[in-house]
């Protein structure tokens, strides 16, 4: 199967497939999502099956611009209204108390629901066509559980070859070009405002400082009792090749040592390193917004290089880089000992 160009006809067909309980992958400005009717528990169960994801992990409900949020959430605090006015449509997910009639399946059994209105025009057209704009699409990122999120239709095709074959779980992939933001939405929990204030569950393109400025109150880091979020598991967003972050001033030396032991090194850097020569090298822009845009495509490309490991030049630690650093830390989580083993 091929990815489908987004003609009005293709969107109408995709909406129909979703209404009948099938899955459709679609572009958003952050990453591609694997969508299902959020009010159809069987359809939502198909997402878990296709992704190989544990079914107690909640998924985000995507809604059309201007949708009635009170249909999905039972308490909509003033802070939610302020953030919606400032950042929707856009890469921000709000966690709110779930309305009683919303199926358990979307919230992984928790009493909250994650809601987001995406800004990508194809996502919006699809949401307007689906159930006449009054429905919600449960959509996690369109990748296998724990793997790198897709920012292009081709990435989705690569992830789900079997599920996209005739009679498979996924009816179509809508091709809307490369996702502009490139990393998943910022998630802020507003479901426990009275006791915890707003809590940043996942950093992203919209920063904690921007949220604080709009709400005029501090945004806390997650505590032990914060709602579970799979994107906040320690290991996540990982390519198959181990990823190791190395400080810029150690990069030359580490590459030399690895190559002396006959290891194949793939490198991702944002600065020039004239002394280094490797067969696979992805050079990413030195500003956080452009870096995020290219990050996942870069990791996928280097994952194809058949290297022993992917070395990533460690990034600055300031706030602007928080979203990207969060994803890289999780991509590298399982590979801490890899370098020692390859050098040993
Ligand atoms: O940018 C995005 O958010 C993308 C695009 C497709 O919209 N979606 C995405 O979905 O990243 P996913 O499922 O890969 O990550 C959603 C995150 C997960 O960490 C999930 O646990 C969390 O949102 N989440 C969803 N509903 C939640 C809830 N009720 N409480 C806590 N976390 C929730
Ligand atoms: Mg994901």
């Amino acid at each position: 199967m091929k990815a489908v160009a987004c003609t009005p006809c293709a969107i109408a067909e995709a909406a129909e497939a979703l209404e009948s309980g099938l899955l459709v992958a679609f572009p958003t400005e952050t990453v591609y999502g694997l969508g299902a009717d959020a009010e159809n528990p069987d359809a939502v169960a198909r997402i878990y099956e296709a992704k190989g994801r544990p079914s107690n992990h909640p998924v985000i409900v995507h809604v059309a611009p201007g949708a009635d949020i009170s249909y999905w959430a039972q308490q909509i605090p003033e802070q939610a209204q302020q953030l919606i006015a400032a950042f929707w449509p856009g890469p921000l997910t709000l966690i709110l108390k779930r309305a009683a009639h919303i199926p358990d399946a979307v919230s992984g059994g928790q009493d909250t629901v994650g809601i987001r209105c995406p800004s990508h025009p194809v996502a919006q057209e699809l949401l307007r066509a689906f159930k006449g704009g009054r429905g919600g699409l449960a959509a996690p990122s369109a990748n296998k559980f724990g793997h790198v999120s897709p920012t292009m239709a081709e990435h989705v095709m690569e992830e789900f070859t079997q599920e996209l074959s005739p009679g498979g779980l996924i009816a179509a992939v809508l091709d809307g070009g490369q996702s502009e933001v490139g990393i998943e939405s910022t998630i802020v929990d507003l479901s426990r405002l009275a006791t915890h204030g707003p809590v940043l569950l996942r950093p992203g393109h919209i920063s904690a400082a921007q949220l604080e400025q709009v709400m005029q109150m501090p945004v806390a880091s997650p505590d032990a009792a914060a709602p579970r979020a799979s994107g906040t598991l320690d290991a996540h967003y990982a390519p198959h090749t181990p990823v190791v972050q190395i400080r810029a001033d150690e990069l030359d030396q580490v590459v030399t040592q690895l190559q002396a032991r006959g290891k194949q090194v793939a490198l991702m850097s944002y600065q020039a390193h004239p002394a280094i020569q490797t067969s696979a090298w992805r050079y990413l822009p030195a500003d956080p917004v452009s870096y995020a845009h290219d990050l996942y495509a870069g990791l996928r490309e280097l994952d194809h290089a058949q290297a022993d490991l992917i070395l990533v030049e460690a990034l600055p630690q300031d706030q602007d880089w928080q979203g990207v650093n969060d994803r890289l830390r999780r991509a590298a989580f399982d590979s801490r000992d890899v370098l020692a083993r390859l050098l040993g």
Side-chain angles (χ1 to χ4, degrees):
M1 194 193 125
K2 280 211 160 59
V4 185
C6 295
T7 59
C9 172
I11 294 213
E13 270 181 32
E16 245 172 68
L18 287 162
E19 285 165 14
S20 72
L22 298 175
L23 305 181
V24 170
F26 63 95
T28 85
E29 72 279 19
T30 57
V31 300
Y32 275 67
L34 183 59
D37 179 354
E39 293 176 273
N40 178 342
D42 292 338
V44 176
R46 284 185 195 108
I47 297 182
Y48 292 109
E49 190 185 340
K51 280 187 62 107
R53 182 186 203 183
S55 61
N56 63 349
H57 285 202
V59 287
I60 295 171
V61 176
H62 296 70
V63 296
D68 177 12
I69 302 305
S70 68
Y71 179 77
W72 302 94
Q74 52 172 288
Q75 283 163 26
I76 301 157
E78 188 196 341
Q79 288 80 357
Q81 307 285 11
Q82 292 168 332
L83 294 181
I84 288 171
F87 299 114
W88 277 14
L92 177 68
T93 297
L94 304 179
I95 307 295
L96 300 170
K97 287 274 181 227
R98 165 166 70 110
H101 63 100
I102 302 307
D104 259 2
V106 272
S107 65
Q110 305 184 67
D111 63 353
T112 52
V113 61
I115 313 177
R116 163 166 127 78
C117 175
S119 65
H120 194 292
V122 172
Q124 294 197 353
E125 280 173 51
L126 183 64
L127 285 161
R128 287 200 182 96
F130 174 68
K131 292 185 169 175
R134 286 179 299 277
L137 289 178
S141 50
N143 52 274
K144 295 282 184 182
F145 181 61
H147 195 221
V148 180
S149 299
T151 52
M152 302 202 250
E154 298 88 85
H155 298 163
V156 183
M157 314 289 290
E158 218 174 81
E159 290 281 323
F160 293 108
T161 10
Q162 201 188 326
E163 293 78 4
L164 280 161
S165 55
L169 284 168
I170 305 176
V173 180
L174 294 174
D175 187 349
Q178 183 165 7
S179 296
E180 198 179 326
V181 173
I183 57 172
E184 304 78 356
S185 60
T186 304
I187 304 182
V188 63
D189 176 24
L190 298 178
S191 71
R192 303 173 305 152
L193 270 179
T195 49
H196 294 75
V199 178
L200 184 70
L201 297 186
R202 182 171 71 184
H205 181 74
I206 295 174
S207 68
Q210 284 175 286
L211 301 175
E212 288 175 342
Q213 202 188 1
V214 169
M215 292 185 288
Q216 289 295 306
M217 55 167 66
V219 172
S221 305
D223 53 283
R228 280 172 289 125
S230 68
T232 62
L233 292 178
D234 284 335
H236 218 77
Y237 312 116
H240 303 293
T241 315
V243 174
V244 178
Q245 283 180 274
I246 302 287
R247 278 181 17 208
D249 60 342
E250 294 176 345
L251 211 47
D252 289 19
Q253 192 197 347
V254 172
V255 173
T256 307
Q257 286 175 342
L258 285 163
Q259 288 173 338
R261 285 166 175 77
K263 306 301 178 197
Q264 294 294 323
V265 178
L267 184 62
M268 193 151 95
S269 82
Y270 70 102
Q271 302 181 95
H273 293 273
I276 298 180
Q277 295 207 340
T278 72
S279 50
W281 191 331
R282 181 81 181 226
Y283 189 71
L284 295 191
D287 79 278
V289 171
S290 316
Y291 193 105
H293 176 266
D294 292 347
L295 171 64
Y296 288 148
L299 285 175
R300 279 174 183 273
E301 181 189 306
L302 293 179
D303 207 10
H304 287 145
Q306 311 288 338
D308 293 295
L309 84 174
I310 299 172
L311 289 185
V312 178
E313 176 180 27
L315 295 165
Q317 290 301 311
D318 23 320
Q319 281 296 313
D320 290 353
W321 289 91
Q322 198 187 4
V324 166
N325 272 321
D326 171 80
R327 305 310 188 277
L328 278 176
R329 188 171 52 76
R330 294 177 208 286
F333 179 75
D334 275 339
S335 27
R336 281 182 197 151
D337 300 333
V338 169
L339 190 61
R341 191 158 39 78
L342 291 177
L343 289 174

